Amino acid sequence: MTRFAHAVREELWSRGRRVESRLAQGQAVEDAHGITATDARDDELVMLARHELERLHAVMPQDALVRLVAEASTEAITATMTVRLNGISIVTDPTHAARDIELLRRAAGGSAANRSAGFQPAGPPASSRPPLPLLWRNGTAALLLHEAHAHPLEHHLPPLPLPPWLRVEVPLQLRRATFRDVPLLRMQHVRVTQHDAPFALPPEHIEIHLIDGGAYDPLTDVVTLRIAASSVGPFTITERRGDFRFLGAEGEPQRYPGVICSREGQELVVGSYAPTLLTA
Amino acid sequence: MIYRKQGGVARWENGTLIRVTESGAAREDGDLFECWPEPSNHAVDEPTSRRVVEIASSLQHLPVERLIVVHGAARHEYDGRTWSEETERIHLSLAHGQLRALVDSSTRRLDDWTTIAAALQRADPHDREPPRHLVLAPGVAAAVLPFLPNATQTAGGVDGYGNDIVDGGTQNFYRPSYRVRPVRMPHNLRLDHHVTAIDPDLPRAIALLAPPDSVALRVLVIDGESVYPTTAHVTKIEAVGREREWYPYGAGSFGAELML
């Protein structure tokens, strides 16, 4: 018999004004007959969640749409903040909020200074990917591997063939979003590393800075990635996962500002780290 | 004013049975929406696990990719009014090759799924141009009604504030959970048309192959001996059949045969 319990405080803020506030709590007990779930309260978990919410309050911006989720469970304590500005968003936590929000401001701002730094402002996504090599910056390559490598593993499909210089660490475990959910085999994080990778940057390429979302369909083996900010603006990649070619990489893994992964309606935070990666 | 809800759900989800009981409350104060769990002493009939297990078992012979069967019972309270509801829902996806048929329904149309599964098995995997005229099966038509401006609300039951759902009304609010802020939405949509005769010999779209993209529907079509995927645009509707069946799209949708 296994037991899971959690308490969650969630708030939605619009330009410094709180518009939604939720408390959720409950426990799930699993035995041979299935799962029995109730909204039983665990005072200690509720108190821990409240503490995490206060940490989020201390660092949240006042000029954006902000969703705060503070969760204390029998498995982990997490504090997650989603910040949306000018149509694009990042997911961060109290430790990384300042840096991540600055990245978002640069991507969402669209000022002349930002454009000279290599960003094109967000706008309606182009229908398809321009035919140039892709340089995945800011840890965005973790999302490519999240969809093309990690999700197939969750579905017990073969791993993506990778070059010998590229490694992807994807620990899988049973996870659930709420006490009402059936736990599923899900990735905990995606950590991409490179060792002695080649790196010959072609003069013409596209730099990817932020990703709005993605998907993997196990039936068609197709990966979809919606690029929110790049050197050519937003666009969408729709390709079979085997069609990505890994040309090179450089540097240490960078933390991507958060990924909320949704499967079977269950949204979970997945830590994401990757070096700069070059693909065709 | 505070809205209160208590209830339970028995759910079969891809091989696991889960039973959930909970009660909670919600309040709207200007722009602020708040909700929290709140114990309740009222008795609610517990949903029967046996029913969802029976339904799930009866579908095991199909090429099921995903199966969720839900039976729920709830008691609601708002502004001195109380009301109860009982729900049965099924979400099913059937897969063959690279085609996936999606079914959202109540538990009353189990026979349809055997037909869909059989058609899927012999379907051409390649998309074709949509036929000039096409009949949408009720379960397919129901999915597109929320995107049609001339679909209207059908009277019956109460909304998320306990107000009567009136025919043709536009002021009802949908509240699927106490944790969700109610949104104004027409309930139990239907489409009326002065022509109700449906040509039985036309190609027939029997299942969705993807969620609707507004009025663009990727569907599985039976056309004589052929079965194939296509994308149809629901723009010109020539007839709507008389028989209606309720489906769980949006705040409810009465599907009827639509002839395009």
Side-chain angles (χ1 to χ4, degrees):
Chain A
M1 190 166 76
T2 61
R3 176 181 174 269
F4 168 85
H6 73 160
V8 185
R9 291 296 311 266
E10 180 187 338
E11 291 182 347
L12 182 69
W13 292 73
S14 178
R15 295 184 175 276
R17 200 162 43 92
R18 192 173 65 151
V19 292
E20 293 184 3
S21 171
R22 293 182 177 82
L23 167 65
Q25 67 199 24
Q27 69 167 10
V29 177
E30 184 166 12
D31 60 20
H33 303 291
I35 300 171
T36 303
T38 68
D39 53 3
R41 181 183 175 101
D42 182 321
D43 285 334
E44 187 179 350
L45 293 178
V46 172
M47 189 183 67
L48 288 168
R50 185 185 305 143
H51 174 71
E52 291 303 305
L53 186 67
E54 287 166 3
R55 290 180 66 217
L56 288 163
H57 283 159
V59 294
M60 74 174 190
Q62 300 294 315
D63 61 344
L65 187 67
V66 182
R67 182 178 176 227
L68 311 176
V69 181
E71 178 181 14
S73 80
T74 44
E75 295 172 355
I77 296 174
T78 58
T80 308
M81 174 163 54
T82 305
V83 184
R84 189 162 186 85
L85 201 59
N86 293 349
I88 59 176
S89 52
I90 51 108
V91 184
T92 186
D93 57 40
T95 306
H96 301 92
R99 197 202 78 160
D100 292 343
I101 292 169
E102 173 57 23
L103 175 69
L104 176 66
R105 290 193 192 287
R106 286 165 55 204
S111 69
N114 293 337
R115 283 193 289 274
S116 68
F119 287 102
Q120 289 293 319
S127 58
S128 60
R129 166 193 165 176
L132 288 171
L134 302 174
L135 187 67
W136 303 77
R137 288 199 178 279
N138 297 331
T140 54
L143 276 80
L144 168 62
L145 276 307
H146 174 118
E147 302 297 351
H149 181 77
H151 272 313
L153 296 180
E154 290 179 341
H155 291 280
H156 306 288
L157 294 169
L160 188 67
L162 299 172
W165 45 265
L166 191 64
R167 290 183 193 158
V168 186
E169 175 189 290
V170 186
L172 301 178
Q173 74 167 46
L174 289 173
R175 300 179 68 188
R176 72 188 103 196
T178 78
F179 68 95
R180 298 173 215 89
D181 293 314
V182 174
L184 301 173
L185 190 65
R186 303 285 294 266
M187 63 189 99
Q188 284 180 283
H189 65 254
V190 176
R191 177 177 285 275
V192 184
T193 53
Q194 62 87 18
H195 301 276
D196 300 325
F199 191 73
L201 188 61
E204 279 199 273
H205 61 271
I206 296 166
E207 295 194 10
I208 294 173
H209 301 283
L210 271 179
I211 295 178
D212 185 48
Y216 168 70
D217 186 340
L219 208 58
T220 58
D221 211 29
V222 168
V223 167
T224 303
L225 286 161
R226 295 186 303 278
I227 310 302
S230 80
S231 55
V232 296
F235 63 95
T236 299
I237 298 171
T238 305
E239 289 189 22
R240 284 180 181 277
R241 66 180 180 124
D243 291 345
F244 289 98
R245 288 191 298 125
F246 299 95
L247 304 179
E250 73 168 1
E252 294 298 312
Q254 281 183 272
R255 175 187 161 279
Y256 184 75
V259 173
I260 292 181
C261 177
S262 180
R263 206 181 120 203
E264 298 288 348
Q266 297 190 46
E267 292 188 342
L268 295 171
V269 174
V270 175
S272 304
Y273 310 85
T276 298
L277 188 71
L278 183 64
T279 68
Chain B
M1 271 175 288
I2 294 178
Y3 164 83
R4 292 184 170 85
K5 180 178 182 180
Q6 65 171 125
V9 163
R11 188 169 83 241
W12 175 271
E13 188 172 319
N14 300 319
T16 301
L17 177 67
I18 180 165
R19 288 153 294 187
V20 183
T21 53
E22 58 181 329
S23 56
R27 175 173 52 209
E28 292 162 84
D29 183 5
D31 289 343
L32 177 62
F33 171 83
E34 295 177 282
C35 65
W36 60 93
E38 186 178 271
S40 171
N41 295 323
H42 295 287
V44 174
D45 288 341
E46 196 161 313
T48 56
S49 305
R50 188 163 53 96
R51 172 82 174 139
V52 299
V53 173
E54 280 175 1
I55 292 171
S57 301
S58 73
L59 300 171
Q60 290 304 310
H61 64 288
L62 301 176
V64 172
E65 182 191 41
R66 175 191 290 120
L67 173 61
I68 298 170
V69 185
V70 179
H71 178 212
R75 177 186 183 276
H76 310 259
E77 181 185 326
Y78 183 76
D79 194 17
R81 283 166 282 187
T82 61
W83 66 100
S84 300
E85 65 174 341
E86 191 173 343
T87 53
E88 284 193 333
R89 303 275 189 277
I90 295 186
H91 171 79
L92 172 72
S93 64
L94 302 169
H96 179 69
Q98 294 194 348
L99 295 178
R100 174 187 289 121
L102 305 173
V103 180
D104 284 284
S105 184
S106 64
T107 55
R108 290 188 295 276
R109 302 290 298 233
L110 299 180
D111 292 349
D112 289 355
W113 307 343
T114 304
T115 306
I116 293 168
L120 202 57
Q121 301 277 348
R122 60 191 181 92
D124 183 338
H126 304 294
D127 280 56
R128 296 189 193 173
E129 288 295 310
R132 183 172 157 76
H133 293 286
L134 178 66
V135 173
L136 305 185
V140 176
V144 80
L145 292 192
F147 301 97
L148 299 181
N150 50 347
T152 56
Q153 178 169 281
T154 307
V158 295
D159 72 357
Y161 290 114
N163 295 321
D164 288 339
I165 297 169
V166 297
D167 210 56
T170 58
Q171 300 297 316
N172 288 108
F173 283 77
Y174 181 49
R175 187 190 317 242
S177 160
Y178 82 84
R179 292 179 294 275
V180 178
R181 185 197 292 266
V183 291
R184 185 183 294 178
M185 187 184 291
H187 289 54
N188 306 327
L189 288 170
R190 72 175 191 276
L191 193 64
D192 296 319
H193 200 286
H194 65 283
V195 180
T196 57
I198 303 292
D199 184 343
D201 296 326
L202 287 177
R204 185 176 177 84
I206 62 165
L208 291 169
L209 295 176
D213 181 5
S214 184
V215 296
L217 302 178
R218 186 158 186 263
V219 289
L220 185 68
V221 171
I222 296 182
D223 185 356
E225 293 300 307
S226 300
V227 182
Y228 56 87
T230 192
T231 299
H233 291 80
V234 183
T235 48
K236 189 177 178 205
I237 297 168
E238 299 196 341
V240 179
R242 287 183 191 280
E243 286 187 28
R244 296 188 178 116
E245 185 77 49
W246 189 90
Y247 289 87
Y249 291 104
S253 186
F254 280 104
E257 288 184 313
L258 292 192
M259 191 164 75
L260 309 179

